[in-house]
Amino acid sequence: MNADALIYHPSVAHYLRYVATTVGRDKLLRTLQYFSRFYAWYLLRTDATTASIRPFEAIKKQFGLSRKLMRVGKNIEHFKAAALAADSKAVDGFLRYCAIGRQLGYGFYLSFDAITYLDAAGIRPTPAAKRLQKEAYRAWFAGIFCNVAAGLYTLYHLKLKERAVNLKEGEGVVKSKEIAKDRAATNVQLISDLCDLTIPSTALGYTNFDDGFVGIAGTISSLIGVWATWKKTA
């Protein structure tokens, strides 16, 4: 009876819906990948043995490689999204250009990233892989930067809208709650983007964060992604 209760529990059904999505599995792998990056750095800084560090270095490398393969072909989705954003006339002009920039950045990032897979997997090494991976990081940086700009712009306009709301009216109270909800969602996305920005910026030499900082930042943005995907599959 207890086994039946567990099998048919709504949480189990929710979990199965979550792991059935590629995004859900990717976010879980990403969380483990970046936490391992942080923990390997931490063990190294505390003079741990090579044997204790090796498993986390392996997780970081192998999970990163698995995620790289899972992303192959996803670039088309972002190029299509960029075309749709360009055709959308109902969206604010600045946000529309940010959306186009974001989707093109992600699209080119995934395109360059896919090309480097054979080299990263050791199937067909190529001397151009390092340069292509750098171009991938540049495109990713540009895409995230556009999303950060869109987030800051949205927060500014939400603040202007809030000033115009009359809380003495019933409609004004409803609008105030909607603004608060939109602000919370925008803040969460902005935190995720700023955390992600540390990864390509460090790889490109724009910033000098160590593996510990990048690992924690990547873990935070990954957990935000896990939470967002979990909510979508509810």
Side-chain angles (χ1 to χ4, degrees):
M1 192 67 180
N2 289 334
D4 286 344
L6 179 63
I7 291 168
Y8 293 106
H9 196 278
S11 295
V12 175
H14 188 180
Y15 165 77
L16 292 174
R17 286 195 301 273
Y18 177 86
V19 295
T21 64
T22 304
V23 174
R25 294 192 302 274
D26 176 73
K27 296 303 180 185
L28 287 174
L29 289 175
R30 192 178 194 271
T31 302
L32 294 171
Q33 176 192 352
Y34 280 99
F35 179 76
S36 295
R37 181 170 180 171
F38 158 75
Y39 200 58
W41 170 87
Y42 171 77
L43 290 174
L44 183 65
R45 289 293 297 268
T46 53
D47 296 323
T49 62
T50 304
S52 62
I53 297 172
R54 192 180 297 118
F56 297 99
E57 288 286 355
I59 289 172
K60 179 180 74 172
K61 181 180 178 181
Q62 295 303 325
F63 282 21
L65 193 60
S66 297
R67 292 184 56 244
K68 187 186 280 281
L69 180 59
M70 288 169 66
R71 292 193 296 265
V72 172
K74 195 173 169 61
N75 55 334
I76 305 301
E77 176 187 330
H78 290 284
F79 286 133
K80 181 181 178 181
L84 292 173
D87 291 337
S88 177
K89 306 301 179 187
V91 183
D92 175 278
F94 182 79
L95 291 178
R96 183 160 66 93
Y97 286 121
C98 283
I100 294 168
R102 179 180 74 249
Q103 298 297 349
L104 285 177
Y106 292 164
F108 282 113
Y109 159 63
L110 292 169
S111 297
F112 287 124
D113 189 64
I115 295 170
T116 64
Y117 174 76
L118 294 178
D119 178 86
I123 298 170
R124 189 175 181 181
T126 170
K130 195 171 182 180
R131 178 178 57 82
L132 290 169
Q133 192 61 61
K134 199 166 185 178
E135 294 302 327
Y137 280 128
R138 283 198 182 99
W140 188 17
F141 181 90
I144 300 172
F145 185 83
C146 287
N147 218 30
V148 168
L152 294 173
Y153 181 84
T154 299
L155 288 175
Y156 173 72
H157 278 270
L158 286 173
K159 191 173 183 179
L160 294 181
K161 279 185 182 179
E162 192 174 39
R163 287 177 183 171
V165 170
N166 186 355
L167 294 175
K168 294 179 181 180
E169 298 177 357
E171 189 179 344
V173 173
V174 172
K175 282 185 178 178
S176 178
K177 288 181 179 178
E178 289 176 354
I179 290 170
K181 186 178 178 181
D182 289 342
R183 181 188 291 113
T186 303
N187 279 330
V188 169
Q189 184 59 53
L190 193 57
I191 291 168
S192 178
D193 289 333
L194 289 173
C195 286
D196 279 343
L197 203 58
T198 64
I199 303 166
S201 66
T202 300
L204 291 166
Y206 299 161
T207 55
N208 194 29
F209 299 124
D210 57 37
D211 266 10
F213 188 89
V214 174
I216 283 293
T219 302
I220 291 170
S221 65
S222 299
L223 288 172
I224 290 173
V226 168
W227 171 70
T229 309
W230 183 260
K231 285 204 320 181
K232 285 180 182 178
T233 55

